[in-house]
Amino acid sequence: MKDMNKVVDKMLDAYPAKVMKNRKEHILVKDSDDIPKIGANTRTIPGIITNRGCCYAGCKGVVIGPIVDMVHIVHGPVGCSYYAWGTRRNKGKAKDGGKNFLSYAFTTDMQESDIVFGGDKKLAQAIKEAVETFNPKAISVSATCPVGLIGDDIQKVAKDAEKEYGIPVLAFSCEGYKGVSQSAGHHIANNKLMKDVIGTIDIPKPKEKEFTLNILGEYNIGGDEWEISRVLNKIGYKVVACMTGNSEYEDIAKSHNADLNLVQCHRSINYIAEMIEIKYGMPWMKVNFIGMENMSNTLRNIAKYFGDEDLIKRTEAVISEEISEIEDEMAYYKEMCEGKTAMLYVGGSRAHHYQGLLGEIGMDTILAGYEFGHRDDYEGRDVIPDIKLDADTRNIEEITVEKDEQKYRLRIPVNRLEELKKELPLNQYKGLITDMKTNTVVIDDLNHYETEIAVKALKPSFFGSGIKDKYMIQKMGIYSKQMHSYDYSGPYAGYKGAVNFARDTAAGIHTPAWSYTIPPWKKEPMITGKVEGVEKVC
Ligand code: CFN
Ligand code: HCA
């Protein structure tokens, strides 16, 4: 068994003392069942080749961009707009009579003169053209770095446009430089959706035995949401809104009327889940639709939440039907992948979500990390303490109570919710570290240099990565799959998605291409140099 501490020491060894001290906090070896603390969500050291993106990417690219029937205008240079155009593969379809603008890239194409004289007028003109040409339900405006630097008031432009055209125009001040990663952009997007969209359209109360859900933190990458909803619909659930994959503006406006929020990606949308619970009394449950076992557990948990006998029965029937359709093929790919090892380095949730699925095809994850996860994504978060109520208000189905100037509406009796919280992942999340085996490595904000050391030392068969590191890994002769966009494949969620992933992974690992690739350490002479009189081999 490889001594992981030695691998980590080797990574840290090359750094100057200050950098080493910083990076040390972000790297750990899991050597017991304890959950150690990890440094996360802090600024990347300048000069290090990080894989992180920016605040604008997190707001426009991730959370707002997938809403299908809005025109999403990027106020900034064309490059920023181009960057967030289509590469994420968040798919969407227009609903009956609806519109879908996902294939367009709308930008104000800021030029030097706009930087000098201000870009507000150009933005107002862009909104006017968008309304006249496309007549969308709503418009978003996302700010890029220069907008904040020159002080264009996009909030005012948006307000004026709203008055003039009578449609919602949401302005996001998500300049790229805000915060330390995409994460700040998620938060900005969540806040505005909550403040200005969610709760603005009411739908009648669900009929008896109608079980309604929202899926939060699911962006329909490669069609994941379609596969998840197919199974949920088959069991009998109605999905009101998926935030924000494949959703229309009005779905999101109505989402407060559903019964339960399911949270797939905790990192990008926990804020909305929390705020909906506080404002509308709808609990949230952590789910994982990736992998057969995770999918089945998730479906069982949802059924248990509602506690309806028919629903529980239908859930079991659908699970067995779906599994029986794929188990032979999964077993075949498992034979091909059994005993191989994987590394996962993806944004803020997938490095955790995919470990179960990899396990189902016989692969252990030996190193994992997030680009921008927070400490709770790594270490987990406990049940958020309940709103404390007077004894006589317990057991009442629908009440409104005032606490800390907030109104809480309770949909299910508090004592039932309290019981359920003991059995189900309601308002709680087990972090990535919890699920990793011992003698594995967890690295936050992994950089290219550290990736190279880890790959050379541990030679995994699979590296789940992004566009920035994929090819440097493949040049080392290791199969690397983009876990953001699934390269050109998908869906990977749900049962049918699990087979797609298993098939792609088995094929990727076994392609003969790797035997033609000679990794650099086999053909290049080692570089030697002298550091303060000490012979140093790199
Ligand atoms: S689709 Fe999500 S699942 S939203 Fe987030 S944290 Fe990014 S865009 Mo890339 S693939 Fe990635 Fe997650 Fe949530 Fe995607 S792991 S980095 S910001 N992400
Ligand atoms: C982003 C979007 C991204 C980038 C993917 C990658 C995505 O945060 O900028 O680096 O390969 O999923 O498209 O995470």
Side-chain angles (χ1 to χ4, degrees):
M1 196 189 281
K2 200 85 184 175
D3 183 346
M4 294 300 190
N5 286 301
K6 280 205 177 129
V7 178
V8 169
D9 286 348
K10 192 160 173 23
M11 269 176 205
L12 296 171
D13 202 31
Y15 288 136
K18 240 177 133 176
V19 176
M20 182 195 279
K21 189 167 170 277
N22 178 310
R23 287 303 298 152
K24 219 174 168 170
E25 290 177 8
H26 298 260
I27 306 177
L28 59 88
V29 175
K30 183 172 174 180
D31 49 16
S32 72
D33 286 339
D34 297 341
I35 310 296
K37 283 197 175 116
I38 188 163
N41 191 30
T42 58
R43 208 163 277 281
T44 301
I45 301 165
I48 276 185
I49 306 177
T50 176
N51 292 309
R52 281 176 167 176
C54 65
C55 178
Y56 153 79
C59 179
K60 192 273 171 188
V62 173
V63 181
I64 300 305
I67 305 172
V68 292
D69 61 348
M70 287 176 76
V71 162
H72 302 292
I73 298 176
V74 174
H75 187 33
V78 71
C80 297
S81 192
Y82 186 74
Y83 171 77
W85 181 32
T87 52
R88 185 162 171 256
R89 302 190 66 241
N90 49 277
K91 295 178 175 253
K93 272 187 201 142
K95 307 232 164 74
D96 286 346
K99 288 179 178 160
N100 174 8
F101 300 114
L102 289 194
S103 54
Y104 290 89
F106 298 95
T107 178
T108 50
D109 184 22
M110 236 178 188
Q111 302 292 317
E112 271 170 17
S113 59
D114 305 315
I115 303 286
V116 177
F117 299 107
D120 314 44
K121 285 189 200 72
K122 209 173 185 187
L123 176 61
Q125 178 63 22
I127 297 172
K128 181 174 186 282
E129 283 174 28
V131 172
E132 286 170 359
T133 317
F134 297 97
N135 188 24
K137 275 265 159 60
I139 290 177
S140 79
V141 173
S142 293
T144 57
C145 293
V147 174
L149 296 173
I150 63 171
D152 273 0
D153 190 350
I154 63 164
Q155 302 295 341
K156 171 153 192 328
V157 176
K159 252 202 190 112
D160 293 347
E162 237 172 34
K163 263 190 220 136
E164 185 154 358
Y165 308 115
I167 57 165
V169 180
L170 311 175
F172 295 89
S173 298
C174 56
E175 285 84 351
Y177 55 74
K178 284 187 174 164
V180 300
S181 67
Q182 293 92 314
S183 182
H186 302 149
H187 207 155
I188 290 169
N190 276 224
N191 285 353
K192 199 169 214 42
L193 287 181
M194 189 66 200
K195 194 171 150 281
D196 293 344
V197 187
I198 296 165
T200 53
I201 301 178
D202 260 317
I203 47 175
K205 244 178 117 39
K207 286 176 253 135
E208 192 71 13
K209 285 223 173 187
E210 192 173 58
F211 306 105
T212 56
L213 306 166
N214 296 318
I215 311 173
L216 269 59
E218 168 49 52
Y219 302 91
N220 202 24
I221 309 300
D224 278 352
E225 185 271 330
W226 291 329
E227 180 52 21
I228 296 164
S229 289
R230 181 186 69 78
V231 178
L232 290 173
N233 294 339
K234 193 166 161 185
I235 295 173
Y237 296 106
K238 188 171 155 201
V239 178
V240 177
C242 178
M243 280 187 230
T244 51
N246 192 38
S247 266
E248 292 188 343
Y249 179 87
E250 288 188 353
D251 299 334
I252 297 170
K254 291 170 189 162
S255 61
H256 63 299
N257 291 120
D259 294 316
L260 178 65
N261 274 337
L262 309 177
V263 174
Q264 170 70 6
C265 168
H266 170 268
R267 178 67 272 130
S268 61
I269 212 144
N270 69 86
Y271 318 100
I272 286 183
E274 218 69 72
M275 289 186 281
I276 288 188
E277 167 145 41
I278 290 172
K279 195 163 174 195
Y280 300 104
M282 188 196 315
W284 61 269
M285 184 155 82
K286 181 70 189 79
V287 294
N288 185 1
F289 297 114
I290 308 295
M292 298 189 291
E293 196 184 331
N294 286 326
M295 179 75 180
S296 302
N297 286 343
T298 288
L299 296 176
R300 289 191 176 111
N301 287 347
I302 306 170
K304 205 177 214 175
Y305 174 82
F306 288 103
D308 179 85
E309 285 307 315
D310 294 343
L311 198 65
I312 293 170
K313 268 194 212 135
R314 273 205 306 282
T315 301
E316 289 307 326
V318 169
I319 291 173
S320 5
E321 193 181 307
E322 292 283 331
I323 289 186
S324 69
E325 279 177 31
I326 61 165
E327 58 192 350
D328 291 350
E329 211 179 332
M330 286 298 279
Y332 174 70
Y333 299 127
K334 185 174 182 191
E335 235 169 73
M336 291 173 77
C337 300
E338 186 89 66
K340 305 214 178 283
T341 54
M343 293 183 178
L344 282 172
Y345 180 66
V346 212
S349 76
R350 292 180 176 201
H352 185 194
H353 287 154
Y354 275 80
Q355 295 196 20
L357 178 52
L358 282 162
E360 284 169 355
I361 51 170
M363 295 175 68
D364 272 343
T365 304
I366 54 172
L367 179 147
Y370 293 135
E371 282 173 37
F372 50 77
H374 294 203
R375 278 188 51 200
D376 52 1
D377 302 301
Y378 285 106
E379 298 164 20
R381 57 191 279 188
D382 293 334
V383 180
I384 288 102
D386 283 317
I387 315 150
K388 291 283 167 264
L389 298 169
D390 297 339
D392 60 346
T393 57
R394 303 170 81 88
N395 271 323
I396 301 170
E397 282 269 351
E398 286 251 1
I399 53 166
T400 306
V401 284
E402 303 256 357
K403 190 180 173 281
D404 302 334
E405 292 169 25
Q406 293 274 11
K407 278 196 169 174
Y408 300 90
R409 210 177 112 216
L410 301 173
R411 293 173 187 234
I412 65 171
V414 184
N415 53 358
R416 176 160 141 70
L417 192 59
E418 273 169 4
E419 279 313 303
L420 285 172
K421 278 183 182 176
K422 289 181 200 148
E423 299 170 47
L424 299 174
L426 282 161
N427 304 53
Q428 56 196 294
Y429 177 42
K430 269 195 326 152
L432 171 143
I433 300 175
T434 324
D435 284 337
M436 290 196 70
K437 291 192 176 159
T438 46
N439 203 38
T440 56
V441 188
V442 180
I443 309 190
D444 174 66
D445 192 13
L446 179 70
N447 57 55
H448 281 200
Y449 165 73
E450 291 161 6
T451 305
E452 208 174 308
I453 301 286
V455 168
K456 274 185 192 172
L458 301 170
K459 299 189 177 55
S461 294
F462 170 96
F463 199 121
S465 63
I467 189 68
K468 297 161 197 139
D469 42 358
K470 172 178 168 120
Y471 295 100
M472 60 150 302
I473 295 161
Q474 295 209 151
K475 282 177 191 167
M476 291 196 271
I478 306 290
Y479 173 51
S480 181
K481 159 173 279 306
Q482 290 189 70
M483 290 315 301
H484 301 252
S485 64
Y486 309 154
D487 292 305
Y488 309 98
S489 189
Y492 284 165
Y495 300 105
K496 293 206 188 329
V499 191
N500 290 340
F501 177 82
R503 187 187 306 114
D504 290 353
T505 304
I509 289 174
H510 288 280
T511 172
W514 310 125
S515 62
Y516 304 122
T517 314
I518 304 162
W521 61 84
K522 284 197 180 154
K523 62 175 183 192
E524 279 166 17
M526 301 242 259
I527 306 160
T528 53
K530 289 220 161 178
V531 180
E532 287 169 18
V534 182
E535 185 84 354
K536 183 105 180 151
V537 182
C538 309

